[in-house]
Amino acid sequence: MPKLKTKSGAKKRFKITGTGKVMYAQAGKRHGMIKRTNKQIRNLRGTTAMFETDAYNVKKYFLPNG
């Protein structure tokens, strides 16, 4: 079997922590801030841990060596 390559798009978007969780930046902060509430903008700051089912697929198919 050939070795699996890491998807270069996923490498820029996701980060795997030491405990195996997948961290990602929250969506919805690129443009159109004027129509969003201040609370929504505040809550979209930083990174969050992905749900386990989604994280499993990311680790299996996109970041096999991560």
PDB file of all heavy atoms in Angstrom, residues 20-24 48-59:
ATOM      1  N   GLY A  20      -5.319  14.674  21.329  1.00  0.00           N
ATOM      2  CA  GLY A  20      -5.974  14.090  20.164  1.00  0.00           C
ATOM      3  C   GLY A  20      -7.212  14.820  19.691  1.00  0.00           C
ATOM      4  O   GLY A  20      -7.883  14.353  18.773  1.00  0.00           O
ATOM      5  N   LYS A  21      -7.520  15.963  20.285  1.00  0.00           N
ATOM      6  CA  LYS A  21      -8.675  16.726  19.824  1.00  0.00           C
ATOM      7  C   LYS A  21      -8.282  17.537  18.594  1.00  0.00           C
ATOM      8  O   LYS A  21      -7.129  17.930  18.442  1.00  0.00           O
ATOM      9  CB  LYS A  21      -9.164  17.671  20.923  1.00  0.00           C
ATOM     10  CG  LYS A  21      -9.758  16.968  22.103  1.00  0.00           C
ATOM     11  CD  LYS A  21     -10.208  17.968  23.141  1.00  0.00           C
ATOM     12  CE  LYS A  21     -10.771  17.235  24.341  1.00  0.00           C
ATOM     13  NZ  LYS A  21     -11.084  18.165  25.436  1.00  0.00           N
ATOM     14  N   VAL A  22      -9.269  17.806  17.745  1.00  0.00           N
ATOM     15  CA  VAL A  22      -9.026  18.608  16.551  1.00  0.00           C
ATOM     16  C   VAL A  22      -9.556  20.011  16.801  1.00  0.00           C
ATOM     17  O   VAL A  22     -10.727  20.193  17.123  1.00  0.00           O
ATOM     18  CB  VAL A  22      -9.720  17.989  15.315  1.00  0.00           C
ATOM     19  CG1 VAL A  22      -9.499  18.850  14.083  1.00  0.00           C
ATOM     20  CG2 VAL A  22      -9.198  16.582  15.058  1.00  0.00           C
ATOM     21  N   MET A  23      -8.678  21.001  16.673  1.00  0.00           N
ATOM     22  CA  MET A  23      -9.054  22.391  16.875  1.00  0.00           C
ATOM     23  C   MET A  23      -9.244  23.054  15.512  1.00  0.00           C
ATOM     24  O   MET A  23      -8.544  22.725  14.555  1.00  0.00           O
ATOM     25  CB  MET A  23      -7.972  23.138  17.649  1.00  0.00           C
ATOM     26  CG  MET A  23      -7.659  22.555  19.009  1.00  0.00           C
ATOM     27  SD  MET A  23      -9.052  22.527  20.125  1.00  0.00           S
ATOM     28  CE  MET A  23      -9.143  24.241  20.577  1.00  0.00           C
ATOM     29  N   TYR A  24     -10.211  23.982  15.448  1.00  0.00           N
ATOM     30  CA  TYR A  24     -10.471  24.686  14.200  1.00  0.00           C
ATOM     31  C   TYR A  24     -10.921  26.106  14.508  1.00  0.00           C
ATOM     32  O   TYR A  24     -11.431  26.379  15.587  1.00  0.00           O
ATOM     33  CB  TYR A  24     -11.529  23.957  13.363  1.00  0.00           C
ATOM     34  CG  TYR A  24     -12.923  24.019  13.933  1.00  0.00           C
ATOM     35  CD1 TYR A  24     -13.871  24.886  13.403  1.00  0.00           C
ATOM     36  CD2 TYR A  24     -13.297  23.217  15.001  1.00  0.00           C
ATOM     37  CE1 TYR A  24     -15.149  24.948  13.920  1.00  0.00           C
ATOM     38  CE2 TYR A  24     -14.572  23.275  15.529  1.00  0.00           C
ATOM     39  CZ  TYR A  24     -15.487  24.147  14.987  1.00  0.00           C
ATOM     40  OH  TYR A  24     -16.759  24.219  15.516  1.00  0.00           O
ATOM     41  N   THR A  48     -12.020  26.448  18.526  1.00  0.00           N
ATOM     42  CA  THR A  48     -12.821  25.528  19.330  1.00  0.00           C
ATOM     43  C   THR A  48     -12.485  24.098  18.955  1.00  0.00           C
ATOM     44  O   THR A  48     -11.939  23.838  17.883  1.00  0.00           O
ATOM     45  CB  THR A  48     -14.332  25.736  19.108  1.00  0.00           C
ATOM     46  OG1 THR A  48     -14.584  25.739  17.705  1.00  0.00           O
ATOM     47  CG2 THR A  48     -14.824  27.009  19.713  1.00  0.00           C
ATOM     48  N   ALA A  49     -12.826  23.189  19.840  1.00  0.00           N
ATOM     49  CA  ALA A  49     -12.602  21.769  19.588  1.00  0.00           C
ATOM     50  C   ALA A  49     -13.751  21.229  18.747  1.00  0.00           C
ATOM     51  O   ALA A  49     -14.910  21.570  18.960  1.00  0.00           O
ATOM     52  CB  ALA A  49     -12.505  21.008  20.902  1.00  0.00           C
ATOM     53  N   MET A  50     -13.415  20.392  17.799  1.00  0.00           N
ATOM     54  CA  MET A  50     -14.413  19.819  16.913  1.00  0.00           C
ATOM     55  C   MET A  50     -15.137  18.668  17.604  1.00  0.00           C
ATOM     56  O   MET A  50     -14.576  18.016  18.486  1.00  0.00           O
ATOM     57  CB  MET A  50     -13.689  19.312  15.662  1.00  0.00           C
ATOM     58  CG  MET A  50     -14.569  18.970  14.510  1.00  0.00           C
ATOM     59  SD  MET A  50     -13.586  18.531  13.077  1.00  0.00           S
ATOM     60  CE  MET A  50     -13.239  20.146  12.425  1.00  0.00           C
ATOM     61  N   PHE A  51     -16.393  18.419  17.205  1.00  0.00           N
ATOM     62  CA  PHE A  51     -17.127  17.280  17.740  1.00  0.00           C
ATOM     63  C   PHE A  51     -16.408  15.990  17.369  1.00  0.00           C
ATOM     64  O   PHE A  51     -15.761  15.906  16.318  1.00  0.00           O
ATOM     65  CB  PHE A  51     -18.557  17.260  17.191  1.00  0.00           C
ATOM     66  CG  PHE A  51     -19.423  18.340  17.758  1.00  0.00           C
ATOM     67  CD1 PHE A  51     -19.862  19.385  16.972  1.00  0.00           C
ATOM     68  CD2 PHE A  51     -19.795  18.316  19.098  1.00  0.00           C
ATOM     69  CE1 PHE A  51     -20.663  20.390  17.492  1.00  0.00           C
ATOM     70  CE2 PHE A  51     -20.593  19.312  19.625  1.00  0.00           C
ATOM     71  CZ  PHE A  51     -21.029  20.341  18.826  1.00  0.00           C
ATOM     72  N   GLU A  52     -16.524  14.987  18.234  1.00  0.00           N
ATOM     73  CA  GLU A  52     -15.756  13.755  18.079  1.00  0.00           C
ATOM     74  C   GLU A  52     -15.999  13.047  16.744  1.00  0.00           C
ATOM     75  O   GLU A  52     -15.081  12.518  16.142  1.00  0.00           O
ATOM     76  CB  GLU A  52     -16.052  12.803  19.230  1.00  0.00           C
ATOM     77  CG  GLU A  52     -15.350  13.181  20.525  1.00  0.00           C
ATOM     78  CD  GLU A  52     -13.833  13.291  20.370  1.00  0.00           C
ATOM     79  OE1 GLU A  52     -13.228  12.372  19.783  1.00  0.00           O
ATOM     80  OE2 GLU A  52     -13.262  14.295  20.817  1.00  0.00           O
ATOM     81  N   THR A  53     -17.263  13.022  16.288  1.00  0.00           N
ATOM     82  CA  THR A  53     -17.547  12.312  15.040  1.00  0.00           C
ATOM     83  C   THR A  53     -16.902  13.000  13.844  1.00  0.00           C
ATOM     84  O   THR A  53     -16.372  12.337  12.951  1.00  0.00           O
ATOM     85  CB  THR A  53     -19.063  12.215  14.823  1.00  0.00           C
ATOM     86  OG1 THR A  53     -19.636  13.502  15.006  1.00  0.00           O
ATOM     87  CG2 THR A  53     -19.690  11.247  15.795  1.00  0.00           C
ATOM     88  N   ASP A  54     -16.934  14.329  13.830  1.00  0.00           N
ATOM     89  CA  ASP A  54     -16.292  15.071  12.751  1.00  0.00           C
ATOM     90  C   ASP A  54     -14.775  14.968  12.867  1.00  0.00           C
ATOM     91  O   ASP A  54     -14.076  14.840  11.861  1.00  0.00           O
ATOM     92  CB  ASP A  54     -16.706  16.538  12.786  1.00  0.00           C
ATOM     93  CG  ASP A  54     -18.187  16.723  12.554  1.00  0.00           C
ATOM     94  OD1 ASP A  54     -18.779  15.894  11.837  1.00  0.00           O
ATOM     95  OD2 ASP A  54     -18.750  17.678  13.094  1.00  0.00           O
ATOM     96  N   ALA A  55     -14.273  15.026  14.093  1.00  0.00           N
ATOM     97  CA  ALA A  55     -12.831  14.954  14.314  1.00  0.00           C
ATOM     98  C   ALA A  55     -12.282  13.597  13.870  1.00  0.00           C
ATOM     99  O   ALA A  55     -11.171  13.511  13.334  1.00  0.00           O
ATOM    100  CB  ALA A  55     -12.514  15.190  15.782  1.00  0.00           C
ATOM    101  N   TYR A  56     -13.060  12.547  14.065  1.00  0.00           N
ATOM    102  CA  TYR A  56     -12.635  11.210  13.636  1.00  0.00           C
ATOM    103  C   TYR A  56     -12.408  11.184  12.128  1.00  0.00           C
ATOM    104  O   TYR A  56     -11.398  10.660  11.651  1.00  0.00           O
ATOM    105  CB  TYR A  56     -13.705  10.184  14.033  1.00  0.00           C
ATOM    106  CG  TYR A  56     -13.456   8.805  13.486  1.00  0.00           C
ATOM    107  CD1 TYR A  56     -12.499   7.978  14.065  1.00  0.00           C
ATOM    108  CD2 TYR A  56     -14.159   8.333  12.385  1.00  0.00           C
ATOM    109  CE1 TYR A  56     -12.262   6.714  13.558  1.00  0.00           C
ATOM    110  CE2 TYR A  56     -13.922   7.074  11.867  1.00  0.00           C
ATOM    111  CZ  TYR A  56     -12.975   6.264  12.456  1.00  0.00           C
ATOM    112  OH  TYR A  56     -12.731   5.022  11.945  1.00  0.00           O
ATOM    113  N   ASN A  57     -13.333  11.763  11.373  1.00  0.00           N
ATOM    114  CA  ASN A  57     -13.196  11.778   9.915  1.00  0.00           C
ATOM    115  C   ASN A  57     -12.027  12.640   9.463  1.00  0.00           C
ATOM    116  O   ASN A  57     -11.313  12.288   8.518  1.00  0.00           O
ATOM    117  CB  ASN A  57     -14.493  12.275   9.270  1.00  0.00           C
ATOM    118  CG  ASN A  57     -15.593  11.256   9.362  1.00  0.00           C
ATOM    119  OD1 ASN A  57     -15.336  10.050   9.329  1.00  0.00           O
ATOM    120  ND2 ASN A  57     -16.821  11.723   9.505  1.00  0.00           N
ATOM    121  N   VAL A  58     -11.809  13.769  10.125  1.00  0.00           N
ATOM    122  CA  VAL A  58     -10.698  14.644   9.767  1.00  0.00           C
ATOM    123  C   VAL A  58      -9.373  13.924   9.998  1.00  0.00           C
ATOM    124  O   VAL A  58      -8.482  13.936   9.143  1.00  0.00           O
ATOM    125  CB  VAL A  58     -10.748  15.956  10.583  1.00  0.00           C
ATOM    126  CG1 VAL A  58      -9.445  16.732  10.447  1.00  0.00           C
ATOM    127  CG2 VAL A  58     -11.900  16.814  10.108  1.00  0.00           C
ATOM    128  N   LYS A  59      -9.254  13.252  11.141  1.00  0.00           N
ATOM    129  CA  LYS A  59      -8.003  12.560  11.448  1.00  0.00           C
ATOM    130  C   LYS A  59      -7.772  11.359  10.530  1.00  0.00           C
ATOM    131  O   LYS A  59      -6.653  11.056  10.172  1.00  0.00           O
ATOM    132  CB  LYS A  59      -8.003  12.094  12.909  1.00  0.00           C
ATOM    133  CG  LYS A  59      -7.745  13.223  13.884  1.00  0.00           C
ATOM    134  CD  LYS A  59      -7.467  12.715  15.269  1.00  0.00           C
ATOM    135  CE  LYS A  59      -8.741  12.413  15.997  1.00  0.00           C
ATOM    136  NZ  LYS A  59      -8.532  12.158  17.419  1.00  0.00           N
TER     137      LYS A  59
END
